[in-house]
Amino acid sequence: MEIVLTIAGSDPSGGAGIQQDLKTITACGCYGATVITSITSQNTLGVQSAMAVPADVVASQLQSVLSDLQPAAIKIGMIPDSDVAAAIVHALCDVRVPIVYDPVMISTSGYALMAPDAIDYIAHHLFRLCTLITPNLPEADRIDVHSLSAAYLIKGGHADSNMMTDILYMPDGTTHQYTTPKIVTGNLHGTGCTLSSAIASYLALGCTLPDAVAQAKDYITSAILRSVDIHIGHGNGPLV
């Protein structure tokens, strides 16, 4: 069984972060391993607080996993500060597997999840290690995506349209578009985590990047449809 390592924050309500990553990786047929970067207090109503895991503890977790397991792909989510970012870069600089980075900067409810200095550090040091970066439209505005050497997937969920188009920009200049009808639902908590984890899982299973994105899009569309009439929590509900 292929192993997918997720490096991300923890969501006690189970709808996003490490918890959602593990559920997605398992559903896609892989084995999930985890490194926790931040402990959050959040639920379907929003993020109440977040505490960064000390960088040396993140480094120790990475050492424990990478010295024993052999991930076939890695997904990175929430990186709270530049010290944690540096620990991740140091651990992954010689790792030669696909790396998918979902640049989680601000929660849907508006809570800042990344220190400003981390954004600049990541842009200069982490992006070059990544196979794919998956910003939404607001994140893409903050990142100079057109200067990236990695592939990047601009997610169109924030666009004001009845159709949602994600565009994959490959390093060779080619593009791939993935368009689906926008599903009207109040249950979209953790969609970015789900999509990036699914892409990493399909890469681990040997798919090409365009095909991994296509299969991940099919997976998340099905998950959203399954969740339309599910009621978990009192706010933006999770995918199931």
Side-chain angles (χ1 to χ4, degrees), residues 2-22:
E2 302 295 351
I3 298 168
V4 177
L5 168 62
T6 170
I7 305 168
S10 174
D11 172 6
S13 71
I18 288 286
Q19 288 85 343
Q20 183 65 11
D21 292 345
L22 280 176

Side-chain angles (χ1 to χ4, degrees), residues 3-217:
I3 298 168
V4 177
L5 168 62
T6 170
I7 305 168
S10 174
D11 172 6
S13 71
I18 288 286
Q19 288 85 343
Q20 183 65 11
D21 292 345
L22 280 176
K23 287 184 278 188
T24 302
I25 292 165
T26 301
C28 291
C30 296
Y31 177 87
T34 67
V35 167
I36 297 176
T37 59
S38 179
I39 299 172
T40 73
S41 298
Q42 64 176 292
N43 51 31
T44 64
L45 299 173
V47 178
Q48 291 79 50
S49 66
M51 181 184 71
V53 173
D56 62 328
V57 178
V58 173
S60 178
Q61 292 178 78
L62 285 162
Q63 169 64 19
S64 293
V65 173
L66 296 175
S67 65
D68 183 32
L69 309 184
Q70 294 182 321
I74 296 171
K75 173 263 170 84
I76 303 173
M78 180 180 173
I79 300 177
D81 56 45
S82 58
D83 289 340
V84 170
I88 294 170
V89 169
H90 178 76
L92 300 185
C93 61
D94 294 322
V95 172
R96 297 293 178 261
V97 301
I99 297 174
V100 178
Y101 174 42
D102 180 22
V104 180
M105 298 178 181
I106 300 174
S107 73
T108 303
S109 60
Y111 191 97
L113 298 172
M114 180 187 292
D117 65 325
I119 298 174
D120 293 333
Y121 182 92
I122 288 165
H124 287 95
H125 301 282
L126 179 62
F127 284 168
R128 60 184 174 83
L129 303 180
C130 296
T131 305
L132 177 69
I133 300 167
T134 64
N136 58 32
L137 290 172
E139 291 161 349
D141 287 340
R142 178 63 180 83
I143 300 168
D144 184 13
V145 292
H146 299 294
S147 67
L148 297 175
S149 58
Y152 56 97
L153 179 70
I154 304 294
K155 298 177 292 188
H158 287 76
D160 185 16
S161 172
N162 292 327
M163 302 298 291
M164 189 178 73
T165 298
D166 295 358
I167 304 176
L168 173 63
Y169 296 84
M170 299 291 285
D172 64 3
T174 59
T175 62
H176 302 263
Q177 291 194 13
Y178 308 86
T179 300
T180 56
K182 182 172 285 188
I183 302 167
V184 179
T185 175
N187 296 331
L188 295 171
H189 183 50
T191 50
C193 303
T194 304
L195 180 64
S196 53
S197 296
I199 294 171
S201 298
Y202 290 122
L203 288 172
L205 293 170
C207 294
T208 64
L209 183 52
D211 188 46
V213 173
Q215 293 202 49
K217 287 287 295 176

